[in-house]
Coordinates of all heavy atoms in Angstrom, one line a residue:
M1 N 0.8 -1.2 0.0 CA 0.0 0.0 0.0 C 0.9 1.2 0.0 O 1.8 1.3 0.7 CB -0.9 0.0 1.2 CG -1.7 1.3 1.3 SD -2.8 1.3 2.7 CE -1.9 2.1 4.0
R2 N 0.6 2.2 -0.8 CA 1.3 3.5 -0.8 C 0.2 4.6 -0.8 O -0.7 4.5 -1.6 CB 2.2 3.6 -2.0 CG 3.0 4.9 -2.0 CD 3.9 4.9 -3.1 NE 5.0 4.0 -2.9 CZ 6.3 4.3 -3.2 NH1 6.6 5.4 -3.8 NH2 7.2 3.4 -2.9
L3 N 0.4 5.5 0.1 CA -0.5 6.7 0.1 C -0.3 7.6 -1.0 O 0.9 7.8 -1.4 CB -0.4 7.4 1.5 CG -0.8 6.5 2.7 CD1 -0.6 7.4 4.0 CD2 -2.2 6.0 2.7
Q4 N -1.3 8.3 -1.5 CA -1.2 9.3 -2.6 C -1.7 10.6 -2.1 O -2.8 10.7 -1.6 CB -2.0 8.8 -3.8 CG -2.0 9.7 -5.0 CD -0.6 9.8 -5.6 OE1 0.0 8.8 -5.8 NE2 -0.1 11.0 -6.0
R5 N -0.9 11.6 -2.2 CA -1.4 13.0 -1.7 C -2.3 13.5 -2.8 O -2.1 13.6 -3.9 CB -0.2 13.9 -1.6 CG 0.8 13.6 -0.5 CD 1.8 14.6 -0.4 NE 2.9 14.2 0.5 CZ 2.8 14.2 1.8 NH1 1.8 14.7 2.4 NH2 3.8 13.7 2.5
L6 N -3.5 14.0 -2.2 CA -4.5 14.6 -3.1 C -4.7 16.0 -2.8 O -5.3 16.8 -3.6 CB -5.8 13.8 -3.0 CG -5.8 12.3 -3.3 CD1 -7.1 11.7 -3.1 CD2 -5.4 12.2 -4.8
A7 N -4.3 16.5 -1.6 CA -4.5 17.9 -1.2 C -3.4 18.3 -0.3 O -2.5 17.6 0.1 CB -5.8 17.9 -0.4
E8 N -3.3 19.6 -0.1 CA -2.3 20.2 0.8 C -0.9 19.9 0.3 O 0.0 19.7 1.2 CB -2.5 19.8 2.2 CG -3.9 20.2 2.8 CD -4.0 19.8 4.3 OE1 -3.0 19.8 5.0 OE2 -5.1 19.5 4.7
T9 N -0.7 19.9 -0.9 CA 0.7 19.5 -1.4 C 1.6 20.7 -1.4 O 2.8 20.6 -1.7 CB 0.6 19.0 -2.9 OG1 -0.1 20.0 -3.7 CG2 -0.2 17.7 -2.9
D10 N 1.1 21.9 -1.0 CA 2.0 23.1 -0.9 C 2.6 23.3 0.4 O 3.3 24.4 0.6 CB 1.2 24.3 -1.4 CG 0.0 24.6 -0.6 OD1 -0.4 23.6 0.2 OD2 -0.6 25.7 -0.6
R11 N 2.5 22.4 1.4 CA 3.1 22.6 2.7 C 4.6 22.5 2.5 O 5.1 21.8 1.6 CB 2.6 21.5 3.7 CG 1.2 21.8 4.2 CD 0.7 20.8 5.2 NE 0.3 19.6 4.5 CZ 0.6 18.4 4.9 NH1 1.3 18.1 5.9 NH2 0.1 17.3 4.2
P12 N 5.4 23.1 3.4 CA 6.9 23.1 3.3 C 7.4 21.6 3.4 O 6.8 20.8 4.1 CB 7.3 23.9 4.5 CG 6.2 24.8 4.8 CD 5.0 24.0 4.5
A13 N 8.5 21.4 2.6 CA 9.1 20.0 2.6 C 9.9 19.8 3.9 O 10.5 20.7 4.5 CB 10.0 19.9 1.4
V14 N 10.0 18.5 4.3 CA 10.7 18.0 5.4 C 11.5 16.8 5.0 O 11.0 15.9 4.3 CB 9.8 17.6 6.6 CG1 10.6 17.0 7.7 CG2 9.0 18.8 7.1
S15 N 12.9 16.8 5.3 CA 13.7 15.7 4.9 C 13.9 14.8 6.1 O 14.0 15.2 7.3 CB 15.1 16.2 4.5 OG 15.0 17.0 3.4
F16 N 13.9 13.5 5.9 CA 14.2 12.5 7.0 C 14.8 11.3 6.3 O 14.9 11.2 5.1 CB 12.9 12.1 7.7 CG 11.9 11.3 7.0 CD1 11.7 9.9 7.3 CD2 11.1 11.8 6.0 CE1 10.8 9.2 6.6 CE2 10.1 11.1 5.3 CZ 10.0 9.7 5.6
T17 N 15.3 10.3 7.1 CA 15.8 9.1 6.6 C 15.0 7.9 7.1 O 14.6 7.9 8.3 CB 17.3 8.9 6.9 OG1 17.5 8.8 8.3 CG2 18.1 10.0 6.3
L18 N 14.9 6.9 6.3 CA 14.2 5.7 6.7 C 15.2 4.5 6.4 O 15.6 4.3 5.3 CB 12.9 5.4 5.9 CG 12.2 4.1 6.2 CD1 11.8 4.0 7.7 CD2 11.0 4.0 5.3
D19 N 15.7 3.9 7.5 CA 16.7 2.8 7.3 C 17.9 3.4 6.5 O 18.4 2.6 5.7 CB 16.1 1.6 6.7 CG 15.1 0.9 7.6 OD1 15.2 1.1 8.8 OD2 14.2 0.3 7.1
G20 N 18.2 4.6 6.7 CA 19.4 5.2 6.1 C 19.1 5.8 4.7 O 20.0 6.5 4.2
R21 N 18.0 5.6 4.2 CA 17.6 6.1 2.8 C 17.0 7.5 3.0 O 16.1 7.7 3.8 CB 16.7 5.2 2.1 CG 17.3 3.9 1.7 CD 16.3 3.0 1.0 NE 15.1 2.7 1.9 CZ 13.9 2.5 1.4 NH1 13.6 2.6 0.1 NH2 12.9 2.2 2.3
P22 N 17.4 8.5 2.2 CA 16.8 9.8 2.3 C 15.4 9.8 1.8 O 15.1 9.1 0.8 CB 17.7 10.7 1.3 CG 18.8 9.8 0.8 CD 18.5 8.4 1.2
M23 N 14.5 10.5 2.5 CA 13.1 10.5 2.1 C 12.6 12.0 2.3 O 13.2 12.8 2.9 CB 12.3 9.6 3.1 CG 12.6 8.2 3.2 SD 11.7 7.3 1.9 CE 12.5 5.7 2.0
A24 N 11.5 12.2 1.7 CA 10.9 13.6 1.8 C 9.5 13.5 2.3 O 8.7 12.5 1.9 CB 10.9 14.3 0.4
A25 N 9.1 14.4 3.1 CA 7.7 14.5 3.6 C 7.3 15.9 3.6 O 8.0 16.8 3.0 CB 7.7 14.0 5.1
L26 N 6.1 16.2 4.1 CA 5.6 17.6 4.2 C 5.4 17.9 5.6 O 4.9 17.1 6.4 CB 4.3 17.8 3.4 CG 4.5 17.5 1.9 CD1 3.1 17.8 1.2 CD2 5.5 18.4 1.2
E27 N 5.7 19.2 6.0 CA 5.4 19.6 7.4 C 4.0 19.3 7.8 O 3.1 19.6 7.0 CB 5.7 21.1 7.4 CG 5.9 21.7 8.8 CD 6.3 23.2 8.7 OE1 7.5 23.4 8.5 OE2 5.4 24.0 8.8
G28 N 3.8 18.8 9.0 CA 2.5 18.5 9.4 C 2.1 17.0 9.2 O 1.1 16.5 9.8
D29 N 2.9 16.3 8.4 CA 2.6 14.8 8.3 C 2.9 14.1 9.6 O 3.8 14.4 10.3 CB 3.6 14.2 7.2 CG 3.2 14.5 5.8 OD1 2.2 15.1 5.6 OD2 4.1 14.2 4.9
S30 N 2.1 13.0 9.8 CA 2.5 12.1 10.8 C 3.6 11.2 10.2 O 3.8 11.2 9.0 CB 1.3 11.2 11.2 OG 1.0 10.3 10.1
L31 N 4.4 10.6 11.1 CA 5.4 9.7 10.6 C 4.9 8.6 9.7 O 5.5 8.2 8.7 CB 6.1 9.1 11.8 CG 7.5 8.4 11.7 CD1 8.4 9.2 10.8 CD2 8.1 8.2 13.1
L32 N 3.7 8.1 10.0 CA 3.1 7.1 9.2 C 2.8 7.6 7.8 O 3.1 6.9 6.8 CB 1.8 6.6 9.9 CG 1.0 5.4 9.2 CD1 0.4 4.5 10.2 CD2 -0.1 6.0 8.3
T33 N 2.2 8.8 7.7 CA 1.9 9.4 6.4 C 3.2 9.6 5.7 O 3.3 9.3 4.5 CB 1.2 10.7 6.6 OG1 -0.1 10.4 7.2 CG2 0.9 11.3 5.2
A34 N 4.2 10.1 6.3 CA 5.5 10.4 5.7 C 6.1 9.1 5.1 O 6.6 9.1 4.0 CB 6.5 11.0 6.7
I35 N 6.1 8.0 5.8 CA 6.7 6.8 5.4 C 5.8 6.2 4.3 O 6.3 5.7 3.2 CB 6.8 5.8 6.5 CG1 7.9 6.3 7.5 CG2 7.2 4.4 6.0 CD1 8.0 5.5 8.8
L36 N 4.5 6.1 4.4 CA 3.7 5.4 3.4 C 3.4 6.2 2.1 O 2.9 5.7 1.2 CB 2.3 5.0 4.1 CG 2.4 3.9 5.1 CD1 1.1 3.6 5.6 CD2 3.1 2.7 4.5
T37 N 3.8 7.5 2.1 CA 3.8 8.2 0.8 C 5.1 8.0 0.1 O 5.2 8.2 -1.1 CB 3.6 9.7 1.0 OG1 4.6 10.2 1.9 CG2 2.2 10.0 1.4
E38 N 6.1 7.4 0.8 CA 7.4 7.2 0.2 C 7.7 5.7 -0.1 O 8.6 5.4 -0.8 CB 8.6 7.8 1.0 CG 8.6 9.3 1.1 CD 9.1 9.9 -0.2 OE1 10.3 9.7 -0.5 OE2 8.3 10.5 -0.9
D39 N 7.0 4.8 0.6 CA 7.3 3.4 0.6 C 6.0 2.6 0.7 O 5.0 3.2 1.0 CB 8.3 3.0 1.7 CG 9.1 1.8 1.3 OD1 8.8 1.1 0.3 OD2 10.1 1.5 2.0
T40 N 6.1 1.3 0.4 CA 4.9 0.5 0.3 C 4.5 -0.1 1.6 O 3.4 -0.8 1.7 CB 5.1 -0.6 -0.7 OG1 6.2 -1.4 -0.4 CG2 5.2 0.0 -2.1
Y41 N 5.3 0.0 2.7 CA 4.9 -0.6 4.0 C 5.6 0.2 5.1 O 6.6 0.9 4.9 CB 5.3 -2.1 4.1 CG 6.8 -2.4 4.2 CD1 7.3 -2.7 5.4 CD2 7.6 -2.3 3.1 CE1 8.7 -3.0 5.5 CE2 9.0 -2.6 3.2 CZ 9.5 -2.9 4.4 OH 10.8 -3.2 4.5
L42 N 5.0 0.0 6.3 CA 5.5 0.8 7.4 C 6.6 0.0 8.2 O 7.6 0.6 8.6 CB 4.3 1.1 8.4 CG 4.6 1.9 9.6 CD1 5.1 3.3 9.2 CD2 3.3 2.0 10.4
R43 N 6.3 -1.3 8.4 CA 7.2 -2.1 9.2 C 6.9 -3.6 8.9 O 5.8 -3.8 8.3 CB 7.1 -1.8 10.7 CG 5.8 -2.2 11.3 CD 5.7 -1.9 12.8 NE 4.5 -2.5 13.3 CZ 4.5 -3.6 14.0 NH1 5.6 -4.3 14.2 NH2 3.4 -4.1 14.5
T44 N 7.7 -4.5 9.4 CA 7.4 -5.9 9.3 C 6.8 -6.3 10.7 O 7.0 -5.7 11.7 CB 8.6 -6.7 9.0 OG1 9.6 -6.5 10.0 CG2 9.2 -6.4 7.6
N45 N 6.1 -7.4 10.6 CA 5.4 -7.9 11.8 C 6.4 -8.8 12.6 O 6.9 -9.8 12.0 CB 4.1 -8.7 11.4 CG 3.3 -9.1 12.6 OD1 3.8 -9.4 13.7 ND2 2.0 -9.2 12.4
E46 N 6.6 -8.5 13.9 CA 7.5 -9.3 14.7 C 7.0 -10.7 15.0 O 7.7 -11.6 15.4 CB 7.8 -8.6 16.0 CG 6.7 -8.3 16.9 CD 6.0 -6.9 16.6 OE1 5.9 -6.6 15.5 OE2 5.7 -6.3 17.6
F47 N 5.7 -11.0 14.7 CA 5.1 -12.3 15.0 C 4.9 -13.1 13.7 O 4.3 -14.2 13.7 CB 3.8 -12.1 15.7 CG 4.0 -11.4 17.0 CD1 3.4 -10.1 17.1 CD2 4.7 -11.9 18.1 CE1 3.6 -9.4 18.3 CE2 4.8 -11.2 19.2 CZ 4.3 -10.0 19.4
G48 N 5.2 -12.6 12.5 CA 5.0 -13.3 11.3 C 5.8 -12.7 10.2 O 6.6 -11.8 10.4
D49 N 5.4 -13.0 9.0 CA 6.2 -12.5 7.8 C 5.5 -11.4 7.1 O 5.9 -11.0 6.0 CB 6.5 -13.7 6.9 CG 5.3 -14.4 6.3 OD1 4.2 -14.0 6.7 OD2 5.5 -15.3 5.5
G50 N 4.4 -10.9 7.6 CA 3.6 -9.9 6.9 C 4.1 -8.5 7.1 O 4.6 -8.2 8.2
R51 N 4.0 -7.7 6.1 CA 4.3 -6.3 6.2 C 3.1 -5.6 6.7 O 2.0 -5.9 6.4 CB 4.7 -5.8 4.8 CG 6.1 -6.3 4.4 CD 6.5 -5.8 3.0 NE 7.9 -6.1 2.8 CZ 8.6 -5.7 1.7 NH1 8.0 -4.9 0.8 NH2 9.8 -6.0 1.6
R52 N 3.3 -4.5 7.5 CA 2.3 -3.8 8.1 C 2.2 -2.4 7.7 O 3.2 -1.8 7.3 CB 2.5 -3.8 9.7 CG 2.7 -5.2 10.2 CD 1.6 -6.1 10.0 NE 0.3 -5.6 10.6 CZ -0.9 -6.1 10.4 NH1 -1.0 -7.1 9.6 NH2 -1.9 -5.6 11.0
A53 N 1.0 -1.7 7.7 CA 0.8 -0.4 7.4 C 0.0 0.4 8.4 O -0.6 1.4 8.1 CB 0.1 -0.3 6.0
G54 N 0.1 -0.1 9.7 CA -0.8 0.5 10.7 C -2.2 0.0 10.5 O -2.5 -0.7 9.5
F55 N -3.1 0.3 11.5 CA -4.5 -0.2 11.4 C -5.4 0.9 11.8 O -6.2 1.3 11.0 CB -4.6 -1.5 12.2 CG -6.0 -2.1 12.2 CD1 -6.4 -2.7 11.0 CD2 -6.8 -2.0 13.3 CE1 -7.7 -3.2 11.0 CE2 -8.1 -2.5 13.2 CZ -8.5 -3.1 12.1
C56 N -5.4 1.3 13.1 CA -6.4 2.3 13.6 C -6.1 3.7 13.2 O -7.0 4.5 13.1 CB -6.5 2.1 15.1 SG -5.1 2.8 16.0
L57 N -4.8 4.1 13.0 CA -4.4 5.4 12.7 C -4.7 6.4 13.8 O -4.8 7.6 13.5 CB -4.9 5.9 11.3 CG -4.7 4.9 10.2 CD1 -5.3 5.5 8.9 CD2 -3.3 4.5 10.0
M58 N -5.0 6.0 15.0 CA -5.3 6.9 16.1 C -4.7 6.5 17.4 O -5.1 6.9 18.5 CB -6.8 7.0 16.3 CG -7.5 5.7 16.5 SD -9.3 5.9 16.6 CE -9.6 5.1 18.1
G59 N -3.6 5.8 17.4 CA -2.8 5.5 18.6 C -3.3 4.4 19.5 O -2.9 4.3 20.6
A60 N -4.2 3.6 19.0 CA -4.8 2.6 19.9 C -4.4 1.1 19.6 O -4.3 0.3 20.5 CB -6.4 2.6 19.7
C61 N -4.1 0.8 18.4 CA -3.9 -0.7 18.0 C -2.4 -1.1 18.2 O -2.2 -2.3 18.2 CB -4.3 -0.9 16.6 SG -3.2 -0.3 15.3
Q62 N -1.5 -0.3 18.4 CA 0.0 -0.6 18.5 C 0.6 -1.3 17.3 O 1.5 -2.1 17.4 CB 0.1 -1.6 19.8 CG -0.7 -1.2 21.0 CD -0.1 0.1 21.6 OE1 1.0 0.2 21.8 NE2 -1.0 1.0 21.9
D63 N 0.0 -1.1 16.2 CA 0.5 -1.8 15.0 C 1.4 -0.9 14.1 O 1.7 -1.3 13.0 CB -0.7 -2.2 14.1 CG -0.4 -3.2 13.1 OD1 0.6 -4.0 13.3 OD2 -1.0 -3.3 12.0
C64 N 1.9 0.2 14.7 CA 2.7 1.1 13.8 C 4.0 1.5 14.5 O 4.6 2.5 14.2 CB 1.9 2.3 13.5 SG 1.5 3.3 15.0
W65 N 4.6 0.6 15.4 CA 5.8 1.0 16.0 C 7.0 1.0 15.1 O 7.2 0.1 14.3 CB 6.1 -0.1 17.1 CG 5.2 -0.1 18.3 CD1 4.3 -1.0 18.6 CD2 5.1 0.9 19.3 NE1 3.7 -0.7 19.7 CE2 4.1 0.4 20.2 CE3 5.8 2.1 19.6 CZ2 3.8 1.1 21.4 CZ3 5.5 2.8 20.8 CH2 4.5 2.3 21.6
V66 N 7.7 2.1 15.1 CA 9.0 2.3 14.4 C 10.0 2.9 15.4 O 9.6 3.3 16.5 CB 8.9 3.1 13.2 CG1 8.0 2.5 12.1 CG2 8.4 4.5 13.5
S67 N 11.2 2.9 15.1 CA 12.2 3.5 16.0 C 12.7 4.8 15.4 O 13.0 4.9 14.2 CB 13.4 2.5 16.2 OG 12.9 1.4 16.8
V68 N 12.9 5.8 16.3 CA 13.4 7.1 15.9 C 14.7 7.3 16.8 O 14.6 7.2 18.0 CB 12.4 8.2 16.2 CG1 13.0 9.6 15.9 CG2 11.2 8.0 15.3
E69 N 15.8 7.6 16.1 CA 17.0 7.9 16.8 C 16.8 9.0 17.8 O 16.3 10.1 17.5 CB 18.1 8.3 15.8 CG 19.5 8.3 16.5 CD 20.6 8.5 15.4 OE1 21.0 7.5 14.9 OE2 20.9 9.7 15.2
G70 N 17.2 8.7 19.1 CA 17.1 9.7 20.2 C 15.8 9.7 20.9 O 15.6 10.3 21.9
S71 N 14.8 8.9 20.3 CA 13.5 8.8 21.0 C 13.1 7.4 21.3 O 12.1 7.2 22.1 CB 12.4 9.5 20.1 OG 12.6 10.8 19.9
G72 N 13.7 6.4 20.7 CA 13.3 5.0 20.8 C 12.1 4.7 20.0 O 11.8 5.3 19.0
R73 N 11.3 3.7 20.5 CA 10.2 3.3 19.7 C 9.0 4.3 19.9 O 8.7 4.8 21.0 CB 9.7 1.9 20.2 CG 10.6 0.8 19.8 CD 10.1 -0.6 20.2 NE 8.9 -0.7 20.9 CZ 8.0 -1.6 20.6 NH1 8.2 -2.5 19.7 NH2 6.8 -1.7 21.3
V74 N 8.4 4.6 18.8 CA 7.3 5.5 18.8 C 6.2 5.0 17.9 O 6.4 4.2 17.0 CB 7.7 6.9 18.2 CG1 8.8 7.6 19.1 CG2 8.1 6.9 16.8
R75 N 4.9 5.4 18.1 CA 3.8 5.1 17.3 C 3.9 6.0 16.1 O 3.8 7.2 16.2 CB 2.5 5.2 18.0 CG 2.2 4.2 19.0 CD 0.8 4.5 19.6 NE 0.6 3.7 20.8 CZ 0.8 4.1 22.0 NH1 1.2 5.4 22.2 NH2 0.6 3.3 23.1
A76 N 4.0 5.5 14.9 CA 4.1 6.3 13.7 C 2.9 7.1 13.4 O 3.0 8.2 12.9 CB 4.5 5.5 12.5
C77 N 1.7 6.6 13.8 CA 0.5 7.3 13.5 C 0.3 8.6 14.3 O -0.5 9.4 13.9 CB -0.7 6.4 13.6 SG -1.1 5.9 15.3
S78 N 0.9 8.6 15.5 CA 0.7 9.8 16.4 C 2.0 10.6 16.6 O 2.0 11.3 17.6 CB 0.0 9.3 17.7 OG 0.9 8.3 18.3
T79 N 3.0 10.4 15.8 CA 4.2 11.1 16.0 C 4.4 12.0 14.7 O 4.5 11.5 13.6 CB 5.4 10.1 16.1 OG1 5.2 9.2 17.2 CG2 6.7 10.8 16.2
P80 N 4.5 13.3 14.9 CA 4.7 14.2 13.8 C 6.2 14.1 13.2 O 7.1 13.9 14.0 CB 4.5 15.6 14.4 CG 4.1 15.4 15.8 CD 4.4 14.0 16.2
I81 N 6.3 14.1 11.9 CA 7.6 14.1 11.3 C 8.3 15.4 11.6 O 7.7 16.5 11.7 CB 7.5 13.9 9.8 CG1 8.8 13.6 9.1 CG2 6.8 15.1 9.1 CD1 9.2 12.2 9.3
T82 N 9.6 15.4 11.8 CA 10.4 16.6 12.0 C 11.6 16.5 11.1 O 12.1 15.4 10.7 CB 10.9 16.7 13.5 OG1 11.6 15.6 13.9 CG2 9.7 16.9 14.4
E83 N 12.2 17.7 10.8 CA 13.3 17.8 9.9 C 14.5 17.0 10.4 O 14.8 17.1 11.6 CB 13.7 19.3 9.7 CG 14.9 19.5 8.9 CD 14.7 19.1 7.4 OE1 13.6 19.3 6.9 OE2 15.6 18.6 6.8
G84 N 15.1 16.2 9.6 CA 16.3 15.4 9.9 C 16.0 14.2 10.8 O 17.0 13.5 11.2
M85 N 14.8 13.8 11.0 CA 14.4 12.6 11.8 C 15.1 11.4 11.1 O 15.0 11.2 9.9 CB 12.9 12.5 11.9 CG 12.4 11.5 12.8 SD 10.6 11.5 12.9 CE 10.3 12.4 14.4
R86 N 15.7 10.5 12.0 CA 16.3 9.3 11.5 C 15.4 8.1 12.0 O 15.4 7.8 13.2 CB 17.7 9.2 12.0 CG 18.6 10.3 11.4 CD 19.9 10.4 12.0 NE 20.6 9.2 12.1 CZ 21.8 8.9 11.5 NH1 22.3 9.8 10.7 NH2 22.3 7.8 11.6
V87 N 14.7 7.5 11.1 CA 13.7 6.5 11.4 C 14.2 5.1 11.0 O 14.9 5.0 9.9 CB 12.4 6.8 10.7 CG1 11.3 5.8 11.1 CG2 12.0 8.2 11.0
S88 N 13.9 4.1 11.8 CA 14.3 2.8 11.5 C 13.2 1.8 11.7 O 12.4 2.0 12.6 CB 15.5 2.3 12.4 OG 15.8 1.0 12.2
R89 N 13.0 0.8 10.8 CA 12.0 -0.2 11.0 C 12.5 -1.2 12.1 O 11.7 -2.0 12.6 CB 11.7 -0.9 9.7 CG 11.0 0.0 8.8 CD 10.8 -0.7 7.4 NE 9.9 0.1 6.6 CZ 10.2 0.4 5.3 NH1 11.3 -0.1 4.7 NH2 9.4 1.1 4.6
G90 N 13.8 -1.2 12.4 CA 14.3 -2.1 13.4 C 14.5 -1.3 14.7 O 13.9 -0.3 14.9
T91 N 15.2 -1.9 15.6 CA 15.4 -1.3 16.9 C 16.6 -0.3 16.9 O 17.6 -0.6 16.4 CB 15.8 -2.3 18.0 OG1 14.7 -3.3 18.0 CG2 15.9 -1.7 19.3
V92 N 16.3 0.9 17.3 CA 17.3 2.0 17.4 C 17.5 2.4 18.9 O 16.5 2.6 19.6 CB 16.9 3.2 16.6 CG1 17.9 4.4 16.8 CG2 16.8 2.9 15.1
Q93 N 18.7 2.4 19.4 CA 18.9 2.8 20.8 C 18.9 4.3 20.9 O 19.4 5.0 20.0 CB 20.3 2.3 21.2 CG 20.4 0.8 21.2 CD 19.4 0.1 22.0 OE1 19.1 0.5 23.1 NE2 18.8 -1.0 21.4
P94 N 18.2 4.8 22.0 CA 18.2 6.3 22.1 C 19.6 6.9 22.4 O 20.5 6.2 22.8 CB 17.3 6.5 23.3 CG 17.0 5.1 23.9 CD 17.5 4.1 22.9
Ligands
LIG1 S1 -2.0 2.6 13.6 FE1 -2.9 2.0 15.5 S2 -1.6 2.8 17.0 FE2 -0.8 3.6 15.2

């Protein structure tokens, strides 16, 4: 699944990295939105081989954990993207 922007495309750009790869987002994006507009999945499932893209999108289901350097594990759906954020689908130590 990849998200497609249909509106608000004139917001300022924000740069971040995902597993070391440079990515672009827009100011005000959640981390989940930022990742899924640039890639086809959010993370892999620790209990199986399926790729995940979040579920509830409101901080309740725990299906969107990613790691942010300096912050540890965060819910991608309720974490705003910030300039220079270094995101990993694996474990990142704070
Ligand atoms: S998608 Fe459910 S907690 Fe983030």
Side-chain angles (χ1 to χ4, degrees):
M1 177 177 92
R2 183 175 286 216
L3 299 179
Q4 179 69 43
R5 292 185 192 280
L6 299 177
E8 299 184 32
T9 56
D10 58 343
R11 286 182 279 137
V14 175
S15 299
F16 70 105
T17 62
L18 177 62
D19 295 333
R21 293 181 297 148
M23 303 273 172
L26 297 181
E27 195 173 280
D29 282 353
S30 69
L31 194 44
L32 183 143
T33 299
I35 293 172
L36 290 180
T37 53
E38 290 285 294
D39 207 345
T40 56
Y41 72 104
L42 183 63
R43 67 182 191 99
T44 55
N45 187 329
E46 60 269 42
F47 303 111
D49 59 359
R51 291 180 166 187
R52 309 298 300 168
F55 182 71
C56 73
L57 310 182
M58 57 184 230
C61 75
Q62 316 292 313
D63 196 28
C64 64
W65 292 108
V66 294
S67 295
V68 173
E69 191 173 273
S71 298
R73 286 182 4 136
V74 299
R75 290 183 190 96
C77 70
S78 56
T79 303
I81 192 79
T82 59
E83 178 64 36
M85 190 176 258
R86 295 168 53 114
V87 183
S88 171
R89 292 175 169 134
T91 302
V92 173
Q93 299 302 317

